[in-house]
Amino acid sequence: MPVGRREEALRRWTRARWLIPVKIAFAMVKTLCFNVFYTKLNENSENPCLKAIGFSLPNVEEQRKKHPAEAAAPRPLDNGVVETRELDDATLLRSLADKGVAVKPATSGDYHAVECDVVIVGSGCGGGVAAAVLASSGHKVLVVEKGDYFTPDDYSSVEGPSMERLYEQGGVFCTSNVSTVLFAGTAVGGGSAVNWSASIRTPREVLQEWSRDHGLPVFGSAGYVQAMDAVCARLAVTDGCREEGFQNKVVRRGCEALGLPVDSVPRNSSEGHYCGSCYLGCPTGDKRGTDTTWLVDAVKHGAVILAGCKAERFILQNNSDKNGRSKKCVGLVATCMSNGITKKLRIEAKVSISACGALMTPPLLRNSGVRNRHVGRNLHLHPVSMAWGYFPDKNQEPQLTGKCYEGGIITSMHRVTERTIIETPALGPGAFASLVPWESGRDMKERMRRYARTAHAFALVRDRAAGSVHGEGRVHYSPSRGDIEELRDGLRRTLRIMVAAGAAEVGTHRSDGLRLRCKGVQDKDLEAFLDEVTVARGPMQPGTDTWALLCSAHQMGSCRMGSSPMEGAVDGRGESWEAEGLYVCDGSLLPTAVGVNPMITIQSLAYCLSMDIAESLA
């Protein structure tokens, strides 16, 4: 082996050798924290740990009484969903046939044959919208979703089991250099089932940039604006909030004290929605993900959702038509995740759509034989760095009421620069314990005792650095120097807001426990503290004395649209440059990071593209 290749192989082996124990350590810490806080019951079936930190699980029954309409339809997808986990070959085929899907059992081969007009991989913001539009246009739609189907009655709001079944890799999904933790939903409804409700339209300047600089007319069209209107109407987006939660009160008060603008964040829930656990699945059903909106529409028009079924590859054949595409997609091969189902599915379709997100669409396309160089590249993550402030119960006048885990997760937002915003996160006690710096046992106990009154806020950057997806679970990403500077300025602004809101103590999650006690602090002391604030690198970076982790709940751009095969993985209609009839319809299409929560952007783009697909099928 040549010296250069041997050194590269050694470097990769060394990195992998350290990566595995670090990921295992994260998983062990998470499991330990969850077990301590949720399973240690006394003789009265009470949890003294939760009581000590001021935490209690939401009173779901009381909340559901406020939303009788949602309670009246506990399983709105029952008429169209096929849950494969407990099925065998015979019951699977019978279930599909009963729902109007043409099936042909395997005889001597390895595949059951299934026929439909459109097969969609993924049921989140892209796939859910596409399913509704195409099914309502009269086409037989089959949605393939590897996650399971859950309803409000299934959501426990307990971190451990909820993260395991609702998130990719159980919520312990890191980039290869262990610098950034990624949160991506994996259930019917995808990310819309676990996101934080923020429903922000695509900023006008971003649309202009994508239309003008990237040569993509869809973003400058009247149709896109109409799509945003249609999406917000279907999600019943509300602009107001009857009562803000503790963390958002902190951000609003701090901004007002500093004379900074603070915006209200629209949500896909009612104005009275006061649920802080929607990131573990909304237990009241008030938050309107695709599982309670678009997929319901799709099922009403005959669509079928195959839950617990994993796509393996699209079926590409040589294309004899003279349309510039050398291949033609004729369907999908998928595997049901049930021990009782022994055969794979060969799903034949006129149109095939990948909508499994920016982390999973690239591996699926690569496994299918798509070779465009942009597949898996240009990944953007909206990196996030958090700050915290401790607010004792009786330290402010007027009093800031509430606890950090109560109320809508994001209802206020402050814009720092054109690239950086400040919002608030959802952080349960298990995640809190696994993220805060370890200084000593005594310090950790004190931090946990203060959990309920410790507010968090984060700086989020519209990143210019681009990462890459090299396979399932293999994501490479490092923010640029400019991104880090934006994050640092945003983190400092976040700390100023905490101090101005009346925090007794503020700090970051840097491993050395950087913090400042605010009582009697002078301006010069605050400035000196802020000068020390940095966005530390991940724990595996060489020469790292202090470290911290970035987080990302928004993944975009890894199969971006482009005006030519040299500019993007798919064209301006979402169709593969290489394979006729193969489309992408999720966040991976976005040309760059959007800079705000991307749910409305992804759904609006999916609406436009699926309307075009429906017209072409007609």
Side-chain angles (χ1 to χ4, degrees):
M1 181 185 294
V3 174
R5 290 178 61 188
R6 186 164 63 244
E7 289 179 346
E8 174 64 15
L10 178 61
R11 183 180 67 81
R12 289 184 177 181
W13 178 85
T14 302
R15 183 173 61 192
R17 175 170 159 264
W18 285 105
L19 175 62
I20 293 171
V22 168
K23 285 194 172 184
I24 292 174
F26 281 150
M28 290 176 64
V29 169
K30 185 193 79 167
T31 302
L32 175 62
C33 293
F34 291 154
N35 285 343
V36 167
F37 291 120
Y38 294 106
T39 63
K40 301 299 182 183
L41 304 180
N42 61 19
E43 63 275 9
N44 298 320
S45 296
E46 298 171 335
N47 190 319
C49 295
L50 296 182
K51 184 177 181 181
I53 65 174
F55 177 81
S56 60
L57 290 171
N59 186 337
V60 175
E61 292 305 320
E62 188 63 32
Q63 292 186 42
R64 285 176 184 159
K65 290 178 183 177
K66 301 176 183 179
H67 306 284
E70 287 78 11
R75 290 181 64 83
L77 299 180
D78 258 1
N79 289 336
V81 70
V82 175
E83 299 172 89
T84 67
R85 296 282 183 180
E86 305 300 325
L87 302 182
D88 57 24
D89 292 272
T91 52
L92 169 67
L93 295 176
R94 186 163 60 248
S95 297
L96 288 171
D98 288 345
K99 297 185 186 304
V101 178
V103 296
K104 183 179 179 181
T107 52
S108 59
D110 296 328
Y111 303 98
H112 298 305
V114 179
E115 292 182 8
C116 60
D117 295 323
V118 180
V119 61
I120 301 173
V121 182
S123 60
C125 291
V129 173
V133 170
L134 289 161
S136 64
S137 299
H139 305 292
K140 190 62 180 179
V141 174
L142 180 61
V143 179
V144 173
E145 169 58 61
K146 72 177 180 181
D148 294 320
Y149 175 43
F150 301 106
T151 67
D153 285 341
D154 301 316
Y155 296 133
S156 67
S157 298
V158 177
E159 283 174 280
S162 297
M163 295 290 286
E164 287 292 339
R165 65 184 186 168
L166 295 173
Y167 285 83
E168 289 286 352
Q169 299 192 20
V172 186
F173 189 166
C174 294
T175 55
S176 59
N177 60 1
V178 197
S179 66
T180 308
V181 181
L182 309 174
F183 298 101
T186 176
V188 172
S192 74
V194 294
N195 70 14
W196 300 352
S197 301
S199 303
I200 304 173
R201 294 180 179 232
T202 318
R204 182 178 302 154
E205 59 274 14
V206 174
L207 290 176
Q208 291 172 347
E209 175 190 328
W210 290 349
S211 174
R212 180 187 63 243
D213 298 345
H214 292 268
L216 299 170
V218 62
F219 294 110
S221 67
Y224 187 86
V225 176
Q226 293 166 1
M228 286 196 290
D229 291 339
V231 165
C232 290
R234 184 62 187 95
L235 301 184
V237 171
T238 54
D239 294 324
C241 176
R242 206 167 294 158
E243 180 185 1
E244 287 197 302
F246 169 60
Q247 295 191 134
N248 285 276
K249 289 177 184 175
V250 167
V251 170
R252 191 171 294 277
R253 174 180 288 188
C255 286
E256 290 173 349
L258 294 171
L260 300 172
V262 57
D263 298 321
S264 296
V265 176
R267 297 181 295 164
N268 58 331
S269 61
S270 67
E271 293 187 353
H273 190 48
Y274 197 73
C275 170
S277 57
C278 283
Y279 72 107
L280 302 176
C282 183
T284 67
D286 187 24
K287 185 185 78 170
R288 292 174 277 274
T290 62
D291 52 327
T292 60
T293 55
W294 298 106
L295 291 174
V296 175
D297 299 343
V299 165
K300 285 180 179 177
H301 289 92
V304 175
I305 302 162
L306 202 55
C309 183
K310 189 176 188 302
E312 287 192 1
R313 60 180 174 85
F314 291 106
I315 306 167
L316 304 187
Q317 297 178 351
N318 290 332
N319 192 8
S320 57
D321 291 342
K322 304 296 184 181
N323 62 2
R325 289 176 166 84
S326 60
K327 302 288 184 181
K328 182 174 183 177
C329 185
V330 296
L332 176 78
V333 172
T335 301
C336 293
M337 301 163 72
S338 165
N339 293 331
I341 299 174
T342 62
K343 304 291 185 180
K344 297 181 180 182
L345 300 181
R346 180 185 172 93
I347 304 168
E348 298 178 2
K350 301 172 186 175
V351 164
S352 302
I353 299 175
S354 181
C356 45
L359 301 180
M360 297 301 163
T361 280
L364 179 58
L365 295 186
R366 286 293 185 195
N367 290 344
S368 306
V370 177
R371 295 291 174 252
N372 182 283
R373 69 188 183 93
H374 289 283
V375 174
R377 297 177 64 183
N378 312 301
L379 175 71
H380 295 278
L381 295 181
H382 280 171
V384 157
S385 187
M386 281 192 281
W388 57 267
Y390 171 54
F391 295 80
D393 284 331
K394 299 178 181 179
N395 196 44
Q396 299 88 27
E397 291 297 336
Q399 178 70 9
L400 278 170
T401 58
K403 299 179 179 180
C404 68
Y405 57 87
E406 296 175 334
I409 299 170
I410 299 177
T411 57
S412 61
M413 179 185 79
H414 167 61
R415 181 167 290 281
V416 183
T417 69
E418 64 178 11
R419 290 180 56 203
T420 305
I421 60 175
I422 291 172
E423 295 177 329
T424 56
L427 209 60
F432 177 95
S434 65
L435 285 175
V436 296
W438 174 272
E439 295 184 68
S440 67
R442 181 188 295 271
D443 176 72
M444 177 58 77
K445 288 178 182 178
E446 180 62 15
R447 284 179 182 267
M448 293 312 304
R449 186 187 66 80
R450 306 191 315 185
Y451 161 75
R453 294 288 295 178
T454 299
H456 277 80
F458 59 79
L460 177 153
V461 168
R462 186 188 182 204
D463 48 329
R464 290 176 176 161
S468 53
V469 181
H470 292 267
E472 288 195 24
R474 295 167 53 210
V475 177
H476 295 183
Y477 179 83
S478 294
S480 69
R481 182 176 298 178
D483 295 337
I484 291 295
E485 285 302 311
E486 286 278 339
L487 270 175
R488 185 174 184 236
D489 291 344
L491 196 57
R492 289 173 170 179
R493 177 71 60 84
T494 305
L495 289 162
R496 288 186 190 276
I497 289 169
M498 294 282 187
V499 173
E505 189 173 31
V506 297
T508 70
H509 287 170
R510 206 170 70 186
S511 60
D512 60 352
L514 178 69
R515 64 174 88 182
L516 173 71
R517 298 187 189 280
C518 301
K519 185 176 181 179
V521 69
Q522 303 294 315
D523 287 346
K524 63 178 182 179
D525 300 323
L526 175 59
E527 295 304 320
F529 167 74
L530 293 175
D531 284 342
E532 294 183 51
V533 173
T534 60
V535 177
R537 297 183 294 177
M540 288 184 62
Q541 300 299 307
T544 301
D545 294 324
T546 58
W547 58 272
L549 291 172
L550 301 176
C551 299
S552 167
H554 307 153
Q555 298 90 36
M556 303 151 285
S558 56
C559 289
R560 74 181 183 190
M561 301 171 76
S563 57
S564 73
M566 299 300 294
E567 299 296 328
V570 300
D571 67 14
R573 298 173 58 251
E575 189 173 15
S576 166
W577 289 108
E578 298 164 61
E580 180 185 354
L582 175 58
Y583 293 81
V584 175
C585 205
D586 57 29
S588 67
L589 290 173
L590 304 186
T592 68
V594 63
V596 294
N597 306 68
M599 175 173 66
I600 298 300
T601 298
I602 296 171
Q603 293 199 17
S604 300
L605 181 56
Y607 189 91
C608 290
L609 299 185
S610 51
M611 290 289 281
D612 282 347
I613 295 171
E615 186 175 330
S616 68
L617 283 172

